[in-house]
Amino acid sequence: MNINCQKEDLLYAVQIIGKAISSKNTMPILNGILLIAEENFLTLRATDLDIAIQCNAPADVVQPGQLVIADGKRFIDIVRQLPDNNINLSLINDCDININYASSSINMRGFESEQFPQLPSLTGDIQASIKGEVFARMVKQTAIASANDEIQPILTGIMLDIEGENLSLVATDFHRLTLTKGLWQTQSQQQIQVIVPAKTMLDVANLADAEEQVEISISHNNACFKMGATIFVSRLISGQFPDYRPIIPKEESFKHQVFVNKQLLSSALKRASLLSKDANNTVRLEFKEGKIVMTANTTDIGNIREVIPADFQGEELLVGYNLKYILDFLKVSNSENIYMKLSGNLTPGVMSEEDNASFTYIILPLRLAN
Amino acid sequence: MALRNEILALEDQLNQMLDRLQELRIKVDSMEVQNARLLERLSVENIRSEGLEELTKLYNEGYHICSTYYAQNRNGEECLFCQSFLKENM
């Protein structure tokens, strides 16, 4: 193998695949990066067996070939520090690699490529595509409710509820639930639910080009995302996602509705977060005609009271919330104003965007002490 | 002749009484079946209501009653799925 490439192309590719390099794995080869030189590009791949990421970098291939660089993370650090010009990578001693730059070189140990795990099949039962911008928005909005609970791995994922061309994404940590709905292009009419790790979905969303299509393939144990020169393959999380449909409150159950400017609410809550230091980050919101009165306090720090102008319909109501949960919604909301619909001070309420009915955030209030 | 007529009249009355008895027997059988069903339903509802009471108590004492986290401590936080279960079954 002998190739020439530009540092920026190589750096872009290694930084993407670096997310899949295992640091705890007992198989030494999984600490490595597979390099394949063929045609006009260098293919780089890493995997920890839960995810595999592959990316192509444009290259001038003098001699095709492949090998695994043993210490993938160190290779990325080295590429980062290389001068900004042409890089030559060449195979020496069967499986070591020479990194040649300017008139200098670095030699790194390697493995034979045959030992590196194969990329799982990219052709699944469901093949679909969705515009990068739509996919990224749906994933980022849904992921806020996914949990970090390793005891219940299903809650660390985003559930894809697929019905033909209708795609719903759902996540919950049992205190709140997000549901985003969208359309993707597919020939499949299948009705299926699969759970993909939220972290992988976010990595794909962050990488997706807004104007390009994300091609998605779902098989019985993998989900594959293809965007231009990059492929993500993720193992699905096995288990039964809780039935989310009964959680969604019926429209007729709401007795109170608030319409408020996102920026005003967000700024007030950020100030309150500096004074609400209990375990639940409690903030009290008193909904009154024309306003929300926000209060928070921590005995040994101090207290805050703010009045936020808002359009409120219904009887006056005092509700306690974990302010972090509200801020999470506001961070991923794209509209200028937001709605809060409530049916009581202990029952789930719904937050939604002014101009987007396809994003629903269900949030439980806190039980306030007297 | 008079005695024979009296016997025939008695036979008629006896047949009518037997018919009536048969009708009553059918009615009693049907009522017994219905009664058994009602008792069964009442018992199921009692058990169900006692079960729900226990689950509500468990939830209010701070434990999950949803299938995912059943009997685990809620650590003071409310649970969407426990609440939904209680609401659906109330």
Side-chain angles (χ1 to χ4, degrees):
Chain A
M1 185 187 98
N2 189 331
I3 66 120
N4 293 304
C5 65
Q6 291 301 308
K7 179 207 165 173
E8 63 175 321
D9 294 333
L10 187 60
L11 183 59
Y12 175 79
V14 292
Q15 281 178 333
I16 289 172
I17 63 153
K19 295 175 197 301
I21 296 177
S22 167
S23 51
K24 296 173 192 163
N25 216 298
T26 50
M27 290 169 67
I29 200 159
L30 298 182
N31 296 325
I33 295 175
L34 172 69
L35 303 183
I36 305 170
E38 57 188 4
E39 295 173 19
N40 294 321
F41 47 83
L42 176 70
T43 300
L44 300 97
R45 190 195 306 158
T47 181
D48 62 3
L49 299 181
D50 283 329
I51 57 165
I53 309 175
Q54 179 171 299
C55 188
N56 291 343
D60 171 23
V61 178
V62 181
Q63 183 167 3
Q66 45 187 282
L67 90 156
V68 176
I69 297 175
D71 191 337
K73 289 217 162 149
R74 203 170 297 268
F75 178 67
I76 297 171
D77 289 340
I78 288 170
V79 172
R80 214 173 265 134
Q81 298 304 327
L82 289 175
D84 292 334
N85 51 26
N86 185 58
I87 313 284
N88 172 266
L89 302 175
S90 58
L91 178 70
I92 53 162
N93 305 333
D94 289 339
C95 62
D96 289 349
I97 190 167
N98 248 355
I99 306 162
N100 303 301
Y101 54 98
S103 54
S104 311
S105 70
I106 295 171
N107 178 255
M108 291 191 80
R109 301 279 93 80
F111 295 112
E112 286 180 5
S113 60
E114 288 74 26
Q115 299 168 38
F116 203 82
Q118 295 285 316
L119 201 62
S121 166
L122 305 182
T123 314
D125 305 334
I126 294 176
Q127 307 271 354
S129 68
I130 184 167
K131 198 175 172 190
E133 184 186 15
V134 177
F135 179 78
R137 180 181 49 75
M138 287 177 74
V139 170
K140 287 175 187 175
Q141 290 185 331
T142 309
I144 58 170
S146 66
N148 293 318
D149 188 348
E150 292 301 331
I151 298 166
Q152 291 291 348
I154 48 166
L155 302 185
T156 64
I158 289 178
M159 194 265 281
L160 283 72
D161 194 356
I162 299 160
E163 279 185 53
E165 288 192 328
N166 296 303
L167 172 69
S168 299
L169 303 185
V170 187
T172 183
D173 62 4
F174 277 53
H175 310 301
R176 55 206 170 136
L177 183 144
T178 41
L179 166 66
T180 55
K181 292 181 175 182
L183 291 173
W184 65 2
Q185 291 82 49
T186 182
Q187 300 297 318
S188 162
Q189 290 302 312
Q190 274 201 57
Q191 205 169 326
I192 189 173
Q193 293 188 344
V194 295
I195 310 167
V196 181
K199 191 179 168 302
T200 306
M201 295 280 278
L202 279 171
D203 284 342
V204 176
N206 286 329
L207 210 62
D209 186 311
E211 296 304 318
E212 298 291 324
Q213 292 286 311
V214 180
E215 289 168 35
I216 303 171
S217 165
I218 312 272
S219 66
H220 68 286
N221 55 5
N222 286 315
C224 172
F225 305 88
K226 190 167 183 292
M227 295 154 292
T230 307
I231 297 170
F232 270 72
V233 184
S234 173
R235 195 187 286 275
L236 299 178
I237 299 175
S238 57
Q240 181 69 42
F241 198 86
D243 184 12
Y244 68 93
R245 289 189 174 88
I247 302 297
I248 299 163
K250 293 186 174 63
E251 194 67 29
E252 59 268 24
S253 70
F254 298 123
K255 296 172 190 153
H256 319 266
Q257 179 173 294
V258 193
F259 184 65
V260 62
N261 179 276
K262 181 183 85 171
Q263 195 54 47
L264 288 179
L265 182 60
S266 174
S267 303
L269 286 168
K270 281 177 189 166
R271 284 187 285 274
S273 70
L274 302 170
L275 290 137
S276 172
K277 294 293 177 191
D278 64 355
N280 291 326
N281 307 305
T282 310
V283 67
R284 299 158 78 98
L285 299 181
E286 213 174 334
F287 300 103
K288 296 183 169 192
E289 193 183 338
K291 63 188 171 190
I292 302 171
V293 181
M294 181 201 76
T295 52
N297 76 82
T298 303
T299 315
D300 51 355
I301 302 177
N303 60 69
I304 182 171
R305 181 180 185 277
E306 281 207 24
V307 177
I308 307 155
D311 180 11
F312 176 66
Q313 289 165 19
E315 280 181 29
E316 289 188 4
L317 187 70
L318 170 66
V319 191
Y321 284 110
N322 182 330
L323 62 82
K324 183 185 170 297
Y325 293 172
I326 303 180
L327 280 172
D328 283 345
F329 170 82
L330 299 176
K331 269 182 221 160
V332 295
S333 166
N334 297 318
S335 70
E336 196 180 334
N337 300 296
I338 57 118
Y339 282 108
M340 290 178 84
K341 293 177 183 175
L342 314 164
S343 54
N345 58 4
L346 288 176
T347 50
V350 166
M351 296 182 78
S352 56
E353 295 180 309
E354 176 185 15
D355 45 11
N356 175 18
S358 60
F359 175 31
T360 307
Y361 184 59
I362 297 158
I363 176 173
L364 257 181
L366 294 170
R367 201 176 285 265
L368 289 172
N370 290 329
Chain B
M1 192 67 177
L3 192 59
R4 179 172 288 273
N5 286 340
E6 206 170 323
I7 289 169
L8 285 173
L10 273 171
E11 261 179 12
D12 268 357
Q13 277 181 19
L14 195 59
N15 283 333
Q16 279 174 18
M17 280 174 75
L18 282 170
D19 288 347
R20 181 74 185 134
L21 186 65
Q22 186 61 21
E23 277 171 23
L24 284 172
R25 221 177 239 159
I26 291 166
K27 247 183 197 170
V28 166
D29 282 351
S30 149
M31 283 170 79
E32 271 177 358
V33 169
Q34 201 175 355
N35 196 32
R37 277 189 195 146
L38 284 170
L39 281 171
E40 198 179 329
R41 198 167 138 187
L42 194 63
S43 151
V44 168
E45 274 175 8
N46 278 342
I47 291 167
R48 195 184 160 89
S49 141
E50 279 168 25
L52 263 180
E53 238 169 66
E54 286 300 313
L55 288 172
T56 309
K57 203 173 140 196
L58 194 64
Y59 182 75
N60 290 335
E61 283 172 0
Y63 296 93
H64 281 278
I65 54 162
C66 57
S67 57
T68 309
Y69 283 115
Y70 185 76
Q72 289 183 42
N73 198 323
R74 289 192 285 113
N75 299 319
E77 292 197 274
E78 306 294 318
C79 172
L80 275 172
F81 290 83
C82 294
Q83 284 200 6
S84 166
F85 173 83
L86 287 174
K87 195 178 158 194
E88 262 179 61
N89 289 281
M90 285 297 183

